[in-house]
Amino acid sequence: MKTLGKQWRVLIGEAQQAQALDIERAFNQLGYYRVMPLRSFAQVLNVLDYSPEPIDLLLINRNLFDGATSELYEFCSEHRQINHALIYDVRTVPLLLPRLSSKGVQAVLPYKPDAESLGCLMAMIESHRLPA
């Protein structure tokens, strides 16, 4: 089994710098330091396209994506470079609640994640354990 522990590569897709820094600090408090905030969906796509290995976790503000939440959820679920994803700031949470699959954990939150919700998410992901 593959477990990355605190070496996870995390992308934060958030247009507001202060919110991105809050999320990054929350990850740092949990012991995760390989965190990269990005300000647009185009930047997220560039990193995914050019990354030599998959991103362990993508946290993305729903407002960075122009399409429907269900389309963003599908994008995160199916993209070969995304192992796990959390879409947040979803005003109307569709029936796309946390999903565990062989690919990873996909989740939706109606608010910006805080240290407590990130801790719960990481515990869920770490217990999920992807095959090597």
Side-chain angles (χ1 to χ4, degrees):
M1 293 283 183
K2 176 183 178 184
T3 182
L4 298 173
K6 306 296 182 174
Q7 295 302 311
W8 280 65
R9 293 169 17 130
V10 178
L11 294 183
I12 301 169
E14 172 59 66
Q16 296 182 28
Q17 184 175 359
Q19 287 197 20
L21 289 174
D22 286 346
I23 296 169
E24 184 176 6
R25 278 190 214 106
F27 268 109
N28 293 164
Q29 290 172 353
L30 293 168
Y32 297 89
Y33 298 99
R34 296 179 67 189
V35 180
M36 176 187 287
L38 302 167
R39 306 278 306 265
S40 70
F41 191 68
Q43 288 179 336
V44 170
L45 289 176
N46 282 336
V47 170
L48 292 172
D49 287 344
Y50 293 103
S51 179
E53 57 190 49
I55 300 304
D56 299 303
L57 174 61
L58 170 65
L59 274 80
I60 188 164
N61 186 318
R62 189 270 168 266
N63 297 316
L64 283 186
F65 186 75
D66 289 332
T69 300
S70 59
E71 292 172 356
L72 180 57
Y73 191 85
E74 186 175 327
F75 169 83
C76 293
S77 298
E78 295 179 2
H79 199 288
R80 63 180 170 71
Q81 289 291 89
I82 302 172
N83 287 338
H84 305 280
L86 172 66
I87 303 167
Y88 65 92
D89 210 9
V90 177
R91 297 295 178 221
T92 55
V93 179
L95 294 175
L96 302 173
L97 298 175
R99 180 172 76 182
L100 297 169
S101 68
S102 59
K103 182 176 183 303
V105 174
Q106 315 304 314
V108 176
L109 274 180
Y111 52 85
K112 178 186 83 171
D114 57 15
E116 183 179 348
S117 59
L118 290 176
C120 291
L121 175 69
M122 297 312 292
M124 182 189 325
I125 291 172
E126 287 283 346
S127 67
H128 182 252
R129 307 254 176 150
L130 291 175

